[in-house]
Amino acid sequence: MLIFGCEQEVEVDLTKNFKPELAVSSFFSVEDSVRVFVSLTQPAYSQKYKRVKISKAWLEDDLNHRHQLLIDEHFFDTSLLSSGIPEFKYGSTVRLVVESDDLDISVTAVDTIPHPAYFKNFEVSPLEGELFYYVSGSIIPPIRDGDEDVYYEIVLYSTEKEMEDVGQYFTRVFYPFSHHHLITREEYYPGVLLLGSVGPPTLLWRSVKREPFYIDFYYDAPSTVRNMTDGHILPKHFLKIELRTVSKAYFSYKTSLYQQQYAIEGDFLYGLAPPIDVKSNVVGGVGIFAGYCKVDTVLQVEARTVN
């Protein structure tokens, strides 16, 4: 086979007619103070950063209580922080308003804090000859009246320190994976043809189940020590499993973000996938303002050796 080709380089001005927008990022719950990161969008590949100047910003709940946000400017972005922890409740609808007189821009976003789900009989099991662990257990869904989907997320943390010493200092465990159909059926989850891909940073799924249901997944050992005599030594550690019930906006944003990241990698048969738009619920700008609630459990995992 003989193939000929030619090429021509064309310069495209990506800044032409570009109008910056406010980009907002915040995930909030009932247990924490609210932090909102605000920045400006910019043309692709641009190295010219412009800090956004916020005139005022506030939160409103469904009782029309207004919570003014403190403005903390940084080089690349601006942090908006609630003074104290707002008295939001499960089921509260929260509205964010951010105004910039400098750019004559105002953005809003609205979302609801879901009700919590709970753990039941979760346990960690080592897998013989493998450097990862198997986690399984049941989830008790939140009580609700309708048959709408409930959206879930599993976030993992670990520490090798004893619990009386650790306080709140857990580190994130990334890239868990699962074969459970509730998780693998979601579009964001990598397919079998995406060779070499790792699991997503967190596990997300939806379910209409009203009764407790079973879920399982795997995670890699947080650390290993290679010994020429004994093989791999996996130290004792504590696994913190954080179960979140998340809003539909939260779920749509994160799953589309993960899907975009996997699409960039492409797959074995079809190469690069079509572009994926990351979902946004911000009116007048882009980004995410989404509610969730969380419960957690900590499981002790004993040290072991893998030859």
Side-chain angles (χ1 to χ4, degrees):
M1 180 181 294
L2 185 61
I3 299 177
F4 294 94
C6 61
E7 66 178 32
Q8 180 180 6
E9 293 185 359
V10 178
E11 292 188 1
V12 179
D13 184 4
L14 298 177
T15 63
K16 186 177 181 180
N17 299 322
F18 177 81
K19 184 178 180 180
E21 296 181 281
L22 281 183
V24 172
S25 177
S26 178
F27 300 101
F28 62 94
S29 68
V30 297
E31 297 95 348
D32 304 312
S33 59
V34 179
R35 182 181 292 273
V36 183
F37 295 99
V38 184
S39 58
L40 283 176
T41 59
Q42 62 184 42
Y45 310 112
S46 172
Q47 298 298 318
K48 297 180 180 179
Y49 296 97
K50 182 179 180 181
R51 185 176 63 195
V52 58
K53 291 187 176 295
I54 302 302
S55 308
K56 51 186 175 180
W58 67 90
L59 302 172
E60 295 174 352
D61 60 23
D62 37 17
L63 298 177
N64 293 321
H65 295 151
R66 177 175 287 199
H67 308 270
Q68 207 70 31
L69 294 175
L70 306 176
I71 300 173
D72 183 19
E73 294 185 347
H74 302 280
F75 183 74
F76 294 120
D77 60 14
T78 297
S79 296
L80 308 176
L81 182 65
S82 61
S83 55
I85 300 177
E87 296 181 359
F88 299 144
K89 296 179 172 35
Y90 299 130
S92 292
T93 298
V94 184
R95 180 171 180 260
L96 169 71
V97 181
V98 180
E99 296 182 351
S100 172
D101 293 340
D102 183 41
L103 297 172
D104 193 25
I105 293 177
S106 175
V107 301
T108 61
V110 179
D111 204 25
T112 301
I113 302 174
H115 291 266
Y118 296 97
F119 295 101
K120 183 180 180 182
N121 301 329
F122 260 68
E123 60 182 12
V124 179
S125 304
L127 295 176
E128 186 175 355
E130 300 289 351
L131 299 180
F132 49 86
Y133 295 86
Y134 175 69
V135 184
S136 61
S138 295
I139 290 174
I140 303 173
I143 298 173
R144 63 195 192 281
D145 296 327
D147 292 325
E148 68 280 0
D149 282 328
V150 177
Y151 301 91
Y152 300 91
E153 181 181 35
I154 290 282
V155 185
L156 300 181
Y157 304 83
S158 74
T159 182
E160 294 178 12
K161 296 181 179 180
E162 292 297 328
M163 291 308 298
E164 57 267 23
D165 301 327
V166 68
Q168 299 298 318
Y169 296 101
F170 284 83
T171 57
R172 279 285 303 274
V173 176
F174 291 99
Y175 314 122
F177 60 98
S178 177
H179 302 307
H180 197 287
H181 73 280
L182 285 177
I183 297 173
T184 58
R185 71 179 181 180
E186 298 293 347
E187 289 187 0
Y188 80 92
Y189 199 82
V192 294
L193 293 179
L194 198 57
L195 300 180
S197 66
V198 295
T202 62
L203 298 173
L204 295 115
W205 73 94
R206 74 188 91 186
S207 174
V208 296
K209 296 179 183 291
R210 303 172 68 90
E211 300 298 325
F213 62 91
Y214 182 83
I215 201 78
D216 61 356
F217 57 89
Y218 304 82
Y219 73 96
D220 288 322
S223 67
T224 61
V225 177
R226 176 67 174 170
N227 185 303
M228 297 300 293
T229 303
D230 301 323
H232 292 276
I233 300 173
L234 281 58
K236 171 184 174 182
H237 66 277
F238 295 88
L239 178 71
K240 178 180 176 181
I241 308 172
E242 188 174 282
L243 171 64
R244 297 183 178 186
T245 44
V246 304
S247 69
K248 184 177 181 179
Y250 183 118
F251 181 87
S252 297
Y253 172 81
K254 274 206 171 179
T255 54
S256 62
L257 179 63
Y258 293 171
Q259 194 175 358
Q260 182 191 68
Q261 292 167 348
Y262 284 122
I264 293 172
E265 296 179 20
D267 65 44
F268 182 69
L269 289 182
Y270 302 107
L272 293 178
I276 302 294
D277 289 329
V278 177
K279 304 297 184 184
S280 168
N281 70 337
V282 177
V283 179
V286 296
I288 186 65
F289 177 72
Y292 71 96
C293 66
K294 63 184 179 182
V295 297
D296 61 64
T297 186
V298 177
L299 302 176
Q300 179 174 314
V301 184
E302 297 298 335
R304 64 190 179 103
T305 300
V306 177
N307 294 320

